[in-house]
């Protein structure tokens, strides 16, 4: 990423982004790439503009929330955010962040993950969790779902029973099953009023996509 792009996308934290982007993501996962970081940053700044919170802490947590990569099908998946929080603490310490600010950023990173099931205790943590989950619903959420399913070797849907009327849902085998298994549940768990409002809009789009998809396949 060019410096001009960093300055434009991560303003007013372009210096922080310059320092942290080299640590931000592992290569090879297009659902958790630098574009994902950009979208989560934009979501977080939009929520922060209404809800408040310490902006630099939010920005640092956003930039490093996926700094440790664990595949979706790994038994260590639930530990990914804790591992990322630990790694982020060391990176932010090198930048001279205070122990308190590092702790707040690390908690936000640890609590952002659905799999980790850690309750966000600070406003910064609530904002990061909301900002990240917004990227899992709506049309971008649908795209990421099918992309990840393809990487994991899943089919699009069960051709004999796409609606799972006579079978158990299985999102490891069929990407479309991930909508009712997880994605449709996310909108109920948003932490901030602004995040909830944004989530309601995206949830409606996700439901519309799901029903239109099933209609098209017959």
């Amino acid at each position: 990423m060019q410096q001009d792009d960093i300055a434009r996308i991560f303003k007013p934290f372009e210096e922080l982004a310059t320092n942290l982007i080299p640590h931000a993501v592992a290569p090879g996962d297009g659902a958790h790439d630098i574009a994902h970081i950009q979208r989560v940053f934009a979501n977080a700044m939009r929520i922060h503009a209404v809800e408040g919170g310490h902006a630099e802490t939010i920005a640092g947590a956003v930039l490093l929330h996926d700094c440790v990569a664990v595949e979706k099908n790994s038994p260590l998946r639930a530990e990914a955010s804790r591992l990322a929080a630990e790694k982020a603490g060391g990176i932010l310490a090198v930048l001279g962040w205070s122990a308190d600010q590092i702790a707040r950023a690390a908690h936000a990173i640890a609590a952002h993950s659905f799999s980790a099931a850690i309750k966000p205790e600070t406003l910064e943590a609530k904002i990061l969790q909301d900002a990240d989950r917004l990227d899992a619903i709506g049309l971008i959420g649908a795209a990421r779902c099918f992309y990840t399913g393809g990487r994991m070797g899943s089919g699009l849907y069960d051709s004999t029973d796409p609606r799972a009327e006579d079978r158990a849902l299985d999102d490891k085998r069929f990407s479309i099953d991930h909508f009712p298994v997880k994605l449709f549940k996310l909108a109920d768990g948003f932490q901030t009023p602004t995040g909830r409002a944004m989530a309601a809009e995206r949830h409606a789009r996700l439901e519309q996509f799901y029903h239109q998809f099933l209609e098209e396949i017959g």
Side-chain angles (χ1 to χ4, degrees):
M1 179 176 286
Q2 300 296 317
Q3 194 62 41
D4 288 348
D5 294 326
I6 293 174
R8 174 176 52 84
I9 294 167
F10 295 102
K11 187 177 181 180
F13 298 104
E14 51 266 46
E15 182 178 353
L16 180 65
T18 298
N19 288 323
L20 296 185
I21 283 174
H23 307 283
V25 294
D29 183 357
H32 296 89
D33 57 4
I34 195 63
H36 167 68
I37 299 293
Q38 293 172 25
R39 295 190 301 270
V40 175
F41 180 83
N43 293 338
M45 291 298 104
R46 181 175 170 186
I47 297 170
H48 160 72
V50 179
E51 304 292 339
H54 191 265
E56 185 183 46
T57 301
I58 296 167
V62 167
L63 285 158
L64 295 178
H65 78 277
D66 282 336
C67 67
V68 171
V70 179
E71 288 286 10
K72 290 285 188 182
N73 58 359
S74 168
L76 295 177
R77 179 62 189 172
E79 299 300 317
S81 66
R82 293 181 179 89
L83 295 172
E86 182 178 345
K87 181 178 178 180
I91 295 168
L92 295 172
V94 172
L95 296 184
W97 280 32
S98 70
D100 178 68
Q101 191 175 3
I102 290 172
R104 294 177 74 86
H107 169 65
I109 293 168
H112 90 272
S113 169
F114 184 88
S115 302
I118 298 172
K119 182 179 178 180
E121 302 288 352
T122 65
L123 180 55
E124 293 80 11
K126 292 175 181 179
I127 289 173
L128 175 57
Q129 187 181 100
D130 281 3
D132 185 64
R133 291 188 184 183
L134 282 168
D135 209 50
I137 57 178
L139 298 186
I140 191 67
R144 293 176 72 213
C145 174
F146 286 114
Y147 169 85
T148 300
R151 288 187 71 240
M152 299 293 103
S154 301
L156 295 179
Y157 59 92
D158 182 344
S159 61
T160 62
D161 188 5
R163 292 173 173 80
E165 294 173 335
D166 296 308
R167 64 175 177 84
L169 290 164
D170 186 353
D171 60 346
K172 291 182 173 59
R173 293 181 63 203
F174 308 113
S175 292
I176 197 66
D177 285 13
H178 195 58
F179 287 61
V181 167
K182 178 180 176 182
L183 301 186
F184 287 153
K185 300 174 182 178
L186 293 178
D188 291 335
F190 276 69
Q191 302 290 324
T192 67
T194 304
R196 283 192 292 273
M198 295 169 69
E201 294 179 2
R202 297 196 184 195
H203 179 81
R205 294 175 199 156
L206 192 68
E207 283 194 320
Q208 183 180 34
F209 173 90
Y210 177 78
H211 292 300
Q212 289 178 342
F213 179 94
L214 291 174
E215 180 182 341
E216 285 192 9
I217 63 177

